Amino acid sequence: SNGNPEHCQYSCWTNGVPFASQGGASCCKRDDADDDDFAAGTSGGGSNNNNYATPHNDTDPWLEEPGNGLGEGMLHLCQGDCDYDVDCAEGLVCWYEDGSGKVPGCSGTPREYWEYCIDPVALPDKNVTHSNTLVDFGNDLGAASLGHCQGDCDHDIDCVGDDICFYADGTGVVPGCGGTPTRSWEYCADPNTVKEHTAAIGKENLNSTDGYCPATLPYDGRHKLGSVDGTIANEISGMVNGHRNPNVLYVHNDRNNDPMLMAIDKSNGRMVGNWALGGITHIDYEDISNGSGPKAGVNYLHLCDIGDNPQNRGTVWIHRLPEPALTGGLGAATFYPQTLTLIYPDGPKNAESCLVDPLSGIIYIIQKTSGTSKIYRTEMPWGDGDETMNLKMVGAVKSTYKESRWGNVFTGIDISPNGRDVVLLSYGGLDYRCRDENESIEDALGRFGLHVPAYVEEPQGGEAIAFSSDMTGLYSCQESGGWSKVPLYRYP
């Protein structure tokens, strides 16, 4: 129609532009795929592929989903998917869909795991008094804005006094607080109560249906093995223990370096191999993983070019090459890897953590962002040769650590050779998860992680973590930050 339709009249949309509606109605398109699906707020038969004006409160705009990674200030009220407040128009904040099915101040049903720009006025008034009952106020409210048992915090600094920001997912409990926590939210809690709580649930989380998981948290203790040459390995961002060469750790540099694979002696950090990588584009290598490949029984190194600080990459890449033989010494050869091109379903993402599941062959990538980090995976294992695949978002994970000077974000991940143990590294700490029999990676990461107390925040920023090939320990290293010698650690 060419007029302004009233409630339950059509059509309120033409040439992609909605007409203004009368009587507090708004435009809603009927589903043309199902004759029994009514436009929201209406009844009756209606006609397929027509748009109907539906009841609407003018003070609560409908949720809209222009997409992710559109740039600063490009998302307006009730629009998603934002990642940070700066993605929203001035005066709005980025609010995480928390599983409640509602977005404050907005009408409509939010998409799972999406974040929307809202007016902070729509949030309840902040109350920083001490309470022992969980209260949901919202996210990104500022320093010292949340009192005891209040959420959603991101960092300890968001909490009043000595409280720390506690992530409740996987437990259903916030220590010292009554009520049920909102899914994927973090709450301000007393650190001593949290310590007692995590110690109590630790043994429960190490249980498995087949008795595989250890009785106590492993990797208790740390010692320095030696030093890596920081003039060559100056930005170590990923590490993995070789299978063909179990005495070697393979490492690589971050961006701003030539495409190169290095091997170090895991007993002392001495450089034993250094190979150029040819025929591939290098943007930002961030992690490395063992995995299968075209030839059965051969271990392949998967180098993950997934870094995207400006979040403007249309694709990311995994480069695959057979684990080399250590016979030619430094710079003995140039390798020409195969390349898997990956596309995110919701726009560019920055990431520094990837692994290949040895049980399924599926490749996983963990987003690098403050707060909630999304989990993406391929829908099938990588076959032969170069390929292109779409990634699927399958879950989310949050760090439970205090804010470090580089942020509270994930920087590395590794999985044990048998696929049952996973460690997830952030600048502030290290989490361990024992994977239950037949459990998916995303489900294991979605559970409450156990802190590895022996891990100490690296002075130059820790981004490399690896299981030993015999699964008896872990190795860690950091970027050089100008140091000529970079310490190599083992746990225990």
Side-chain angles (χ1 to χ4, degrees):
S1 72
N2 291 323
N4 292 336
E6 296 181 356
H7 177 39
C8 298
Q9 293 181 349
Y10 74 88
S11 169
C12 57
W13 196 285
T14 185
N15 297 326
V17 180
F19 282 105
S21 299
Q22 296 178 351
S26 63
C27 188
C28 178
K29 184 178 185 297
R30 183 181 175 82
D31 185 355
D32 59 0
D34 185 350
D35 289 340
D36 296 326
D37 188 19
F38 300 115
T42 70
S43 61
S47 300
N48 286 344
N49 210 30
N50 275 318
N51 307 303
Y52 290 83
T54 65
H56 178 49
N57 181 350
D58 288 335
T59 61
D60 290 342
W62 286 99
L63 293 172
E64 297 178 353
E65 299 174 348
N68 186 266
L70 303 181
E72 293 187 10
M74 296 303 294
L75 294 173
H76 298 281
L77 183 63
C78 298
Q79 291 185 342
D81 177 23
C82 55
D83 287 315
Y84 310 101
D85 291 350
V86 294
D87 297 334
C88 302
E90 186 175 358
L92 304 180
V93 297
C94 186
W95 187 88
Y96 177 59
E97 189 284 303
D98 57 12
S100 66
K102 298 178 181 179
V103 176
C106 303
S107 297
T109 302
R111 184 178 297 189
E112 188 177 19
Y113 299 122
W114 273 46
E115 295 170 293
Y116 296 85
C117 296
I118 69 167
D119 186 342
V121 174
L123 297 169
D125 291 335
K126 290 182 291 183
N127 174 14
V128 296
T129 59
H130 193 283
S131 170
N132 290 323
T133 301
L134 293 174
V135 181
D136 293 351
F137 283 120
N139 189 262
D140 292 329
L141 302 181
S145 60
L146 295 170
H148 188 64
C149 298
Q150 295 178 356
D152 176 23
C153 55
D154 285 319
H155 316 296
D156 294 347
I157 196 174
D158 297 337
C159 301
V160 171
D162 295 328
D163 271 10
I164 62 173
C165 189
F166 176 80
Y167 178 47
D169 268 23
T171 68
V173 173
V174 176
C177 302
T180 301
T182 299
R183 181 176 59 83
S184 298
W185 274 44
E186 295 169 293
Y187 295 84
C188 297
D190 177 73
N192 294 321
T193 308
V194 167
K195 184 176 180 180
E196 295 172 1
H197 171 76
T198 54
I201 68 169
K203 187 174 181 180
E204 297 176 13
N205 272 2
L206 289 173
N207 286 337
S208 59
T209 56
D210 62 353
Y212 169 80
C213 295
T216 59
L217 180 67
Y219 321 120
D220 183 17
R222 178 179 91 151
H223 63 277
K224 182 180 176 180
L225 300 172
S227 298
V228 182
D229 186 346
T231 63
I232 301 175
N234 55 18
E235 285 187 283
I236 294 178
S237 188
M239 173 189 292
V240 71
N241 197 168
H243 288 182
R244 182 179 185 179
N245 305 293
N247 295 323
V248 160
L249 296 168
Y250 294 98
V251 298
H252 60 84
N253 284 325
D254 207 328
R255 66 186 189 279
N256 303 322
N257 288 275
D258 294 330
M260 182 170 60
L261 175 69
M262 296 166 283
I264 59 176
D265 187 323
K266 72 178 187 181
S267 68
N268 55 28
R270 182 178 62 87
M271 190 78 65
V272 296
N274 182 356
W275 303 274
L277 302 175
I280 58 175
T281 303
H282 168 226
I283 294 181
D284 194 356
Y285 298 162
E286 288 292 355
D287 211 348
I288 188 171
S289 178
N290 291 310
S292 59
K295 293 183 179 181
V298 174
N299 182 50
Y300 286 79
L301 303 177
H302 292 66
L303 189 60
C304 304
D305 192 337
I306 56 176
D308 187 12
N309 287 334
Q311 298 190 74
N312 59 9
R313 295 178 62 174
T315 60
V316 295
W317 305 307
I318 310 294
H319 303 300
R320 180 177 68 187
L321 66 153
E323 182 181 346
L326 298 178
T327 57
L330 295 175
T334 297
F335 292 110
Y336 293 87
Q338 297 173 331
T339 297
L340 174 63
T341 300
L342 298 173
I343 304 170
Y344 288 101
D346 50 357
K349 294 287 182 292
N350 189 25
E352 294 192 1
S353 308
C354 82
L355 63 79
V356 182
D357 181 4
L359 300 182
S360 68
I362 298 297
I363 297 172
Y364 284 83
I365 296 176
I366 313 299
Q367 180 188 19
K368 180 186 179 183
T369 186
S370 293
T372 302
S373 294
K374 297 176 182 178
I375 304 170
Y376 297 87
R377 67 169 174 84
T378 58
E379 297 203 45
M380 64 186 70
W382 183 359
D384 296 344
D386 296 341
E387 287 190 42
T388 297
M389 291 187 190
N390 292 319
L391 289 166
K392 180 181 180 180
M393 200 276 287
V394 293
V397 59
K398 280 190 175 183
S399 172
T400 59
Y401 288 98
K402 291 185 178 181
E403 177 77 353
S404 77
R405 53 178 163 166
W406 294 284
N408 194 10
V409 293
F410 296 117
T411 59
I413 193 170
D414 198 23
I415 188 167
S416 58
N418 67 355
R420 296 296 301 273
D421 308 271
V422 182
V423 283
L424 186 57
L425 179 65
S426 69
Y427 285 129
L430 180 65
D431 275 353
Y432 167 78
R433 287 166 175 82
C434 183
R435 185 181 178 189
D436 202 357
E437 187 179 24
N438 300 319
E439 186 178 28
S440 68
I441 295 291
E442 55 266 37
D443 287 345
L445 291 177
R447 291 189 287 105
F448 186 83
L450 299 177
H451 295 187
V452 178
Y455 182 86
V456 179
E457 181 179 332
E458 305 280 10
Q460 302 296 339
E463 298 187 2
I465 190 73
F467 278 99
S468 64
S469 57
D470 60 4
M471 300 186 297
T472 61
L474 300 169
Y475 297 91
S476 76
C477 204
Q478 61 182 312
E479 296 187 354
S480 71
W483 293 356
S484 61
K485 295 183 180 297
V486 182
L488 174 66
Y489 294 103
R490 179 185 163 96
Y491 309 80

